[in-house]
Coordinates of all heavy atoms in Angstrom, one line a residue:
E32 N -14.7 14.9 4.2 CA -15.5 13.9 4.7 C -16.2 13.2 3.5 O -16.8 13.9 2.6 CB -16.6 14.4 5.6 CG -17.6 13.3 6.1 CD -18.7 13.9 7.0 OE1 -19.1 15.1 6.8 OE2 -19.2 13.2 7.9
I33 N -16.1 11.9 3.3 CA -16.6 11.2 2.2 C -17.5 10.1 2.7 O -17.1 9.3 3.4 CB -15.4 10.6 1.3 CG1 -14.4 11.7 0.9 CG2 -16.0 9.9 0.1 CD1 -13.2 11.2 0.2
L34 N -18.8 10.2 2.2 CA -19.8 9.3 2.6 C -20.4 8.6 1.5 O -20.6 9.1 0.4 CB -20.9 10.1 3.4 CG -20.5 10.9 4.6 CD1 -21.7 11.8 5.0 CD2 -20.0 10.0 5.7
L35 N -20.8 7.3 1.7 CA -21.6 6.6 0.8 C -23.0 6.5 1.3 O -23.1 6.2 2.5 CB -21.1 5.1 0.6 CG -19.9 4.9 -0.4 CD1 -18.6 5.5 0.1 CD2 -19.8 3.4 -0.7
V36 N -24.0 6.7 0.5 CA -25.4 6.7 0.9 C -26.1 5.8 0.1 O -26.2 5.9 -1.2 CB -26.0 8.2 0.8 CG1 -27.4 8.1 1.3 CG2 -25.2 9.2 1.6
K37 N -26.7 4.8 0.7 CA -27.6 3.8 0.0 C -28.9 3.7 0.8 O -28.9 3.3 2.0 CB -26.9 2.4 -0.1 CG -27.7 1.4 -0.8 CD -27.0 0.1 -0.8 CE -27.9 -1.0 -1.5 NZ -28.6 -1.8 -0.5
D38 N -30.0 4.0 0.1 CA -31.3 4.0 0.7 C -31.2 5.0 1.9 O -30.9 6.1 1.8 CB -31.7 2.6 1.1 CG -31.8 1.7 -0.2 OD1 -32.1 2.2 -1.2 OD2 -31.5 0.5 0.0
T39 N -31.5 4.4 3.1 CA -31.5 5.3 4.3 C -30.2 5.1 5.1 O -30.1 5.7 6.2 CB -32.7 4.9 5.2 OG1 -32.6 3.5 5.6 CG2 -34.0 5.2 4.5
K40 N -29.2 4.3 4.6 CA -28.0 4.0 5.4 C -26.9 4.9 4.8 O -26.8 5.1 3.6 CB -27.6 2.6 5.3 CG -28.6 1.6 5.9 CD -28.0 0.2 6.0 CE -28.5 -0.6 4.9 NZ -28.0 -2.0 4.9
T41 N -26.0 5.3 5.7 CA -24.8 6.1 5.4 C -23.6 5.4 5.9 O -23.6 4.9 7.0 CB -24.9 7.5 5.9 OG1 -26.1 8.1 5.5 CG2 -23.8 8.4 5.5
A42 N -22.5 5.5 5.1 CA -21.2 4.9 5.5 C -20.1 5.8 5.3 O -20.1 6.6 4.3 CB -21.0 3.6 4.8
N43 N -19.1 5.8 6.2 CA -17.9 6.5 6.0 C -17.0 5.8 5.0 O -16.6 4.6 5.2 CB -17.1 6.6 7.4 CG -15.8 7.3 7.3 OD1 -15.3 7.7 6.2 ND2 -15.2 7.5 8.5
A44 N -16.7 6.5 3.9 CA -16.0 5.8 2.8 C -14.5 5.5 3.2 O -13.8 4.8 2.5 CB -16.0 6.7 1.6
K45 N -14.1 6.0 4.3 CA -12.7 5.8 4.8 C -12.6 4.5 5.7 O -11.6 4.2 6.2 CB -12.1 7.0 5.5 CG -12.0 8.2 4.6 CD -11.6 9.4 5.3 CE -11.6 10.6 4.3 NZ -11.1 11.8 5.0
S46 N -13.8 3.9 5.9 CA -13.9 2.7 6.8 C -14.4 1.5 6.0 O -15.5 1.5 5.5 CB -14.9 3.0 7.9 OG -15.2 1.8 8.6
L47 N -13.5 0.5 5.8 CA -13.8 -0.6 5.0 C -15.1 -1.4 5.6 O -16.0 -1.7 4.8 CB -12.6 -1.6 5.0 CG -12.8 -2.9 4.1 CD1 -13.2 -2.6 2.7 CD2 -11.6 -3.7 4.2
L48 N -15.1 -1.6 6.9 CA -16.3 -2.3 7.4 C -17.5 -1.5 7.2 O -18.6 -2.1 7.0 CB -16.0 -2.5 8.9 CG -14.9 -3.6 9.2 CD1 -14.8 -3.7 10.8 CD2 -15.3 -4.9 8.6
S49 N -17.5 -0.2 7.3 CA -18.6 0.7 7.1 C -19.2 0.5 5.7 O -20.4 0.4 5.5 CB -18.3 2.1 7.5 OG -19.4 2.9 7.4
V50 N -18.2 0.6 4.7 CA -18.6 0.4 3.3 C -19.2 -0.9 3.0 O -20.2 -1.0 2.4 CB -17.4 0.7 2.4 CG1 -17.7 0.4 1.0 CG2 -16.9 2.1 2.5
L51 N -18.6 -2.0 3.5 CA -19.1 -3.3 3.3 C -20.5 -3.6 3.9 O -21.3 -4.3 3.4 CB -18.1 -4.4 3.8 CG -16.8 -4.5 3.1 CD1 -15.8 -5.4 3.8 CD2 -17.0 -5.0 1.6
A52 N -20.7 -2.9 5.1 CA -22.0 -3.1 5.8 C -23.2 -2.5 5.0 O -24.3 -2.9 5.2 CB -21.9 -2.4 7.1
L53 N -22.9 -1.7 4.0 CA -24.0 -1.1 3.2 C -24.6 -2.2 2.2 O -25.7 -2.1 1.8 CB -23.5 0.0 2.3 CG -23.3 1.4 3.0 CD1 -22.9 2.4 2.0 CD2 -24.5 1.8 3.7
G54 N -23.8 -3.2 1.9 CA -24.3 -4.3 1.1 C -24.7 -3.8 -0.3 O -25.8 -3.9 -0.8
I55 N -23.7 -3.2 -1.0 CA -23.9 -2.7 -2.4 C -23.7 -3.8 -3.4 O -22.5 -4.2 -3.6 CB -23.1 -1.4 -2.6 CG1 -23.4 -0.3 -1.6 CG2 -23.3 -1.0 -4.1 CD1 -22.6 0.9 -1.7
F56 N -24.7 -4.3 -4.0 CA -24.6 -5.4 -4.9 C -24.8 -4.9 -6.3 O -25.1 -3.7 -6.5 CB -25.6 -6.5 -4.6 CG -25.5 -7.1 -3.2 CD1 -26.3 -6.7 -2.2 CD2 -24.4 -7.9 -2.9 CE1 -26.2 -7.3 -0.9 CE2 -24.2 -8.4 -1.7 CZ -25.1 -8.1 -0.6
R57 N -24.7 -5.8 -7.3 CA -24.8 -5.4 -8.7 C -26.2 -4.7 -8.9 O -27.2 -5.1 -8.4 CB -24.7 -6.6 -9.6 CG -24.8 -6.2 -11.1 CD -24.7 -7.4 -12.0 NE -24.7 -6.9 -13.3 CZ -24.3 -7.6 -14.4 NH1 -23.9 -8.8 -14.2 NH2 -24.3 -7.0 -15.6
D58 N -26.2 -3.7 -9.8 CA -27.3 -2.9 -10.1 C -27.9 -2.0 -9.0 O -28.9 -1.4 -9.1 CB -28.4 -3.7 -10.7 CG -28.0 -4.3 -12.0 OD1 -27.2 -3.7 -12.8 OD2 -28.5 -5.5 -12.3

Side-chain angles (χ1 to χ4, degrees):
E32 177 182 31
I33 303 173
L34 303 171
L35 274 73
V36 181
K37 181 181 178 262
D38 302 325
T39 60
K40 295 190 262 180
T41 303
N43 177 353
K45 297 176 183 182
S46 165
L47 181 59
L48 290 178
S49 184
V50 171
L51 290 173
L53 286 181
I55 299 175
F56 301 106
R57 183 179 185 163
D58 296 327

